[in-house]
Each structure stands twice: as structure tokens, then as C-alpha cells.
Amino acid sequence: MRILGIDPGSQRTGVGIVDVDGAGKMTHVYHAPIDLLKGDDEFDADALREQLPLRLKRLLRALGDAIERFAPAEVAIESIFMARNADSALKLGQARGAALCAAVMRDLPVHEYAAKEIKLAVVGTGGADKAQIQHMVGLMLNLKGKLQADAADALAVAITHAHVRATARRLGVTARQAWRK
Amino acid sequence: MRILGIDPGSQRTGVGIVDVDGAGKMTHVYHAPIDLLKGDDEFDADALREQLPLRLKRLLRALGDAIERFAPAEVAIESIFMARNADSALKLGQARGAALCAAVMRDLPVHEYAAKEIKLAVVGTGGADKAQIQHMVGLMLNLKGKLQADAADALAVAITHAHVRATARRLGVTARQAWRK
């Protein structure tokens, strides 16, 4: 099964895709950061900086392209209980809302995992730092070189869901039930 | 020109639609709150309470339906600079992100107005309260009875954009330029 992991951010959103087979073996498919401030043929860089709706359109488009290209069956995203402050929470919330729209408008099931759950699944301890996650994601998926941080986080949440999925399959329960055990 | 005003909220999102003619005369077209926690044929109420992605899907669907049905040319939405706290900012941000997606995925231009600008346009003073807005919106659009608060706020931002549009037309400038004058 193919899983799309998303690490939403108001300036950069990470995309990570992994395949997991029935035995729980994972294979890296794709990863990249989507830079919401970077212009291209369709989007003007100055306009992107000034207009939030345009940045969300860029995000929706880029995620939609990844979904069309790789056809994931499920989506995994970090759940956020508390942000640093109201201003960053608002920005993060809008990017997260747009990212979720890209998934739900295509009827893809969305699974949410807390940061602690992701660290536990990838590094083995709920208190792991960013560098440890980048390192372990690279090891688990046989990737060479340093991973871009947002793409690594996106792969990490996809790996978390792959783990939970594989466990659920072994136990004959749903992913949600497996995680609660 | 037909304007769709949106007042995004994580539990209830207001929708308000007005027409404005070349002379700046406004006509009420439609208003309603979208209750994101209320189930229907497609959405289960318990699932809506538990799953944010599903609430955003409901919001995206309801706004999409309104856009298809009334075919507005432009969208107006309140800009938010500061929310009460990080938790409510995150919730509001996600709803706002989804609402913006409903507009940008259909290539509708989005105009943002600060709360103060909306109060100034509708009541005439930047310090107006909710009740004054509801009252003035009702008067301006010849509506009878008490308006639901979120729908009134959605109509208010649509009216604000209609004002700015009409002024711009008279002055022969863009809406954005008119507001800065």
C-alpha cells in the first residue's frame, strides 16, 4: 500500500511517499519539499510573497500533482495540539487546512499522528530531535545524503502510518485500533 | 457583479452573497451558516465531531455547492492578523485555509479585509460591535428579522468588497488601489 506523508508549513510543506507491503517492509517512493514562496511558470514569486490565497493555491496544486502522479491510497499527517504562538498557529493552520483539502477532495482517508507518536515510531523514543529523525528516516529507507528537514518529517509520518498499518494487518484490526494497543 | 463573502469558523462558517451594480447599488442574494458539526445524508454527525479532515471536507463541499449554485465572480473574506490564542488560531486557520481552497481551486479572485475595515464600511466606525453589524447589514440589504451572526459577518465582508468595488469603478482604479486612498 502506498502512503503519502505530509508535513504542512506556511512557507514550506514536506511531501514524502513510501510503499509498505503485507510483511511491513517499506520502500521509498518519493520525497520533496514544496517551497510555497518559490515562483515558477504559473506562479509569480512576488505575488506569492504578498498573497496567502495564492500560496494555498500553489500548495493545493503541488499536492494534487503528487497525488495524481503517485496515486497514494492513504494520507498521514502530523496532528497539532499546540503551536508556539497565535500568529504561527494561524499560518500553520491555513497551510494544514489546504493540505487536508488536497486529500479529502479526492476522498483519500487521512490519518493523524502526534509528534510524539512519530518520534516513537521512527527513532524509538518520544523525545527524539529533528536530526535524529532525519538520520533514522534515511537509514530505514536506504537513502543516501542529508535529507531536507520538511521532506524528512513528511517521510517520518508516512513511515509511522506504515508501521501502524503493518501491525494492524498482523493483529487483524484497523489502524486506529492498533495504535491504541 | 456577484460577490461571495465568507466568515470562516471551525464550527460554523458563514456564507453571504450580494450583487452590486455599476452605481454601487447592492441586492441581497443569499445567506446561511454552514454548521460543520451537523450531519446529513452524506456526513455522519459523530464522525464530524471526531474528525477534522471530515469537517473540512464538509466545508469544502458546502462552499463548492454555493459557488456552483450562485456563480459569484469574486470572493471576500476577513483577514486575520491576530487570534485570541494559539489553540483557537490553529482551528480557525484550518477552516480559513479550506475556505480559501474552495475559492482558489475555481480560480476566483480573493480579497481580504481587516475586521476594522469591515466595521468601517458597514457601520461607519471601526469600533462597531457584532449587534451593530447584524443590524446594519439587515438595513442595507432590506432583510427582515434577526440575522444569524456568522451569516451576517459573511454578508458584511461581501458588502465591504461591494463598496470598495463601486468606489474603484467611479475612480477608474482597481479595488486594491481604492481601498488605500
Side-chain angles (χ1 to χ4, degrees):
Chain A
M1 193 187 60
R2 185 158 287 181
I3 299 163
L4 164 64
I6 305 174
D7 179 52
S10 60
Q11 301 203 353
R12 209 175 292 112
T13 284
V15 175
I17 301 175
V18 298
D19 279 344
V20 56
D21 68 11
K25 188 176 158 7
M26 276 178 273
T27 317
H28 171 267
V29 176
Y30 175 80
H31 72 271
I34 303 169
D35 189 340
L36 301 182
L37 297 174
K38 202 174 151 190
D40 58 16
D41 287 352
E42 188 184 353
F43 295 94
D44 178 70
D46 287 338
L48 283 172
R49 251 191 308 279
E50 283 168 20
Q51 300 169 33
L52 167 83
L54 206 62
R55 285 201 293 284
L56 297 186
K57 185 175 182 176
R58 175 141 174 45
L59 176 54
L60 205 58
R61 186 73 54 91
L63 279 177
D65 286 349
I67 292 172
E68 304 299 329
R69 180 172 163 205
F70 297 105
E74 304 203 344
V75 172
I77 190 167
E78 190 177 320
S79 58
I80 303 155
F81 293 109
M82 213 44 182
R84 273 197 313 269
N85 60 58
D87 187 50
S88 66
L90 190 65
K91 286 177 182 157
L92 176 59
Q94 292 178 118
R96 192 172 193 270
L100 288 171
C101 283
V104 297
M105 61 191 269
R106 290 173 178 85
D107 293 322
L108 292 176
V110 176
H111 300 263
E112 302 180 84
Y113 296 95
K116 218 173 181 174
E117 296 173 319
I118 298 168
K119 289 171 180 175
L120 200 61
V122 174
V123 184
T125 158
D129 65 21
K130 285 248 169 209
Q132 285 175 297
I133 290 178
Q134 279 169 270
H135 179 69
M136 281 305 297
V137 165
L139 273 185
M140 291 168 96
L141 299 176
N142 291 315
L143 300 173
K144 283 186 183 114
K146 199 171 180 294
L147 273 170
Q148 193 275 336
D150 303 287
D153 283 345
L155 286 171
V157 67
I159 290 172
T160 303
H161 185 54
H163 264 303
V164 171
R165 267 273 162 211
T167 306
R169 204 185 153 98
R170 275 199 303 277
L171 299 175
V173 294
T174 67
R176 197 166 284 270
Q177 287 170 321
W179 194 256
R180 302 290 163 234
K181 276 174 194 290
Chain B
M1 194 187 59
R2 184 158 288 182
I3 299 163
L4 164 64
I6 305 175
D7 179 53
S10 60
Q11 300 202 354
R12 210 175 292 112
T13 284
V15 175
I17 301 174
V18 298
D19 280 343
V20 57
D21 68 14
K25 189 177 155 12
M26 277 178 273
T27 318
H28 171 267
V29 176
Y30 175 79
H31 72 273
I34 302 169
D35 188 340
L36 301 182
L37 296 173
K38 202 173 152 190
D40 58 16
D41 287 351
E42 189 184 353
F43 295 94
D44 178 70
D46 287 339
L48 282 172
R49 252 192 307 281
E50 283 168 20
Q51 300 169 33
L52 167 82
L54 206 63
R55 285 201 294 283
L56 297 186
K57 185 175 181 175
R58 176 141 174 44
L59 175 55
L60 205 58
R61 186 73 56 90
L63 279 177
D65 287 349
I67 292 172
E68 305 298 330
R69 182 173 161 203
F70 297 105
E74 304 204 344
V75 172
I77 189 167
E78 189 177 320
S79 59
I80 303 156
F81 293 110
M82 214 44 183
R84 273 196 313 268
N85 59 59
D87 187 49
S88 65
L90 191 66
K91 286 177 183 158
L92 175 59
Q94 291 178 116
R96 191 172 193 272
L100 288 170
C101 283
V104 297
M105 61 190 270
R106 291 174 177 84
D107 293 322
L108 292 176
V110 176
H111 299 264
E112 303 181 82
Y113 295 95
K116 218 174 181 171
E117 296 172 319
I118 298 169
K119 289 171 181 175
L120 201 60
V122 174
V123 185
T125 157
D129 64 21
K130 285 247 169 209
Q132 285 174 295
I133 290 178
Q134 279 168 271
H135 180 69
M136 281 306 296
V137 165
L139 273 184
M140 292 168 94
L141 299 176
N142 290 315
L143 300 173
K144 282 185 184 115
K146 199 169 179 296
L147 272 169
Q148 192 276 336
D150 303 287
D153 284 345
L155 286 172
V157 67
I159 289 171
T160 303
H161 184 54
H163 264 304
V164 172
R165 267 273 163 213
T167 307
R169 204 186 153 98
R170 275 198 303 277
L171 299 176
V173 295
T174 67
R176 197 166 285 270
Q177 287 171 320
W179 194 255
R180 301 291 163 237
K181 276 172 194 290

